[in-house]
Amino acid sequence: MEEPRVIKARGLPWSATADEVVAFFSECNIIGGVKGVTFGLNREGRPSGEAFVEMESDDDVHNALKKDKKNMGKRYIEVFESKVSEMEYALNSSQGSSRGFGGDIFGDDAVVRLRGLPFDAGKIQIADFFDGLEIEQNGILLVTDYNGRSSGEAFVQFTNTGDGKKAIQKHKDLIGSRWGLFKSFLAL
């Protein structure tokens, strides 16, 4: 069976919908219509401005490439020829980290970012907040400013993704008088 043809569009408005992408490539036949559009996500799980689009034929890819540097709203869009393998790599490599195209929110990291912490919050208070969940040894990082003062932000690495997911469910629970909890990632 012949491999489907894929293009990558970059620079999309973050608010772009699959219908808008299909309309932008109106001279092209997209496999499955809106189902043939896969959006990228950034680290926070928000749209990244990138998408892979599956085309029906080489002519459709050629027509899509003619849209390179054309505007969608006020943004110009870059269009590149791609491959299914590149799309799958982006999907698979981002599955845990939400660095690109969906999937499990953690992968192997299970790191949670806390922000808006009380400035006097310490590692013990954070560990107590996550009582019952397994935190890696030395898995709590308190972020400080250049003077060593607390910034109100911390990162917590859990021993497994299950506990990381449970930690995310504590979003908006109070630590002291404040809250703020987000999934995050290890920088490798």
Side-chain angles (χ1 to χ4, degrees):
M1 184 174 170
E2 195 172 314
E3 182 175 283
R5 294 140 191 99
V6 177
I7 60 99
K8 180 179 178 180
R10 183 168 62 197
L12 297 168
W14 293 329
S15 62
T17 65
D19 286 322
E20 291 169 329
V21 172
V22 168
F24 181 76
F25 292 109
S26 61
E27 296 85 28
C28 307
N29 294 310
I30 297 172
I31 295 174
V34 296
K35 292 181 180 176
V37 178
T38 304
F39 288 99
L41 302 174
N42 67 17
R43 292 179 175 205
E44 287 78 35
R46 297 185 184 118
S48 68
E50 294 184 348
F52 285 101
V53 184
E54 298 178 65
M55 299 290 169
E56 288 187 6
S57 71
D58 290 334
D59 287 340
D60 293 317
V61 170
H62 180 71
N63 288 334
L65 293 173
K66 290 179 183 177
K67 300 293 278 188
D68 185 44
K69 303 227 181 348
K70 301 291 184 206
N71 284 3
M72 177 187 273
K74 294 181 179 181
R75 301 198 47 129
Y76 80 90
I77 308 303
E78 295 176 285
V79 181
F80 308 93
E81 192 166 355
S82 189
K83 297 178 183 176
V84 170
S85 59
E86 291 173 14
M87 179 175 71
E88 288 174 348
Y89 177 79
L91 288 165
N92 291 332
S93 67
S94 67
Q95 280 192 343
S97 62
S98 290
R99 285 188 183 112
F101 294 84
D104 183 346
I105 63 170
F106 286 114
D108 296 330
D109 294 348
V111 175
V112 173
R113 174 182 170 211
L114 291 83
R115 72 175 189 198
L117 293 170
F119 292 112
D120 61 351
K123 291 182 179 184
I124 293 172
Q125 192 174 5
I126 291 170
D128 288 347
F129 179 74
F130 292 116
D131 187 41
L133 305 178
E134 281 189 59
I135 298 172
E136 287 281 354
Q137 184 176 355
N138 295 320
I140 299 174
L141 172 70
L142 295 168
V143 180
T144 58
D145 66 14
Y146 64 95
N147 286 325
R149 293 181 299 219
S150 174
S151 68
E153 187 173 6
F155 293 87
V156 180
Q157 183 178 11
F158 294 90
T159 59
N160 61 72
T161 57
D163 281 351
K165 289 175 185 177
K166 288 176 187 171
I168 287 292
Q169 292 173 355
K170 294 178 73 72
H171 179 59
K172 294 197 178 183
D173 285 3
L174 296 178
I175 296 180
S177 60
R178 304 184 71 183
W179 62 268
L181 184 63
F182 305 87
K183 62 184 177 246
S184 190
F185 321 96
L186 285 176
L188 301 174

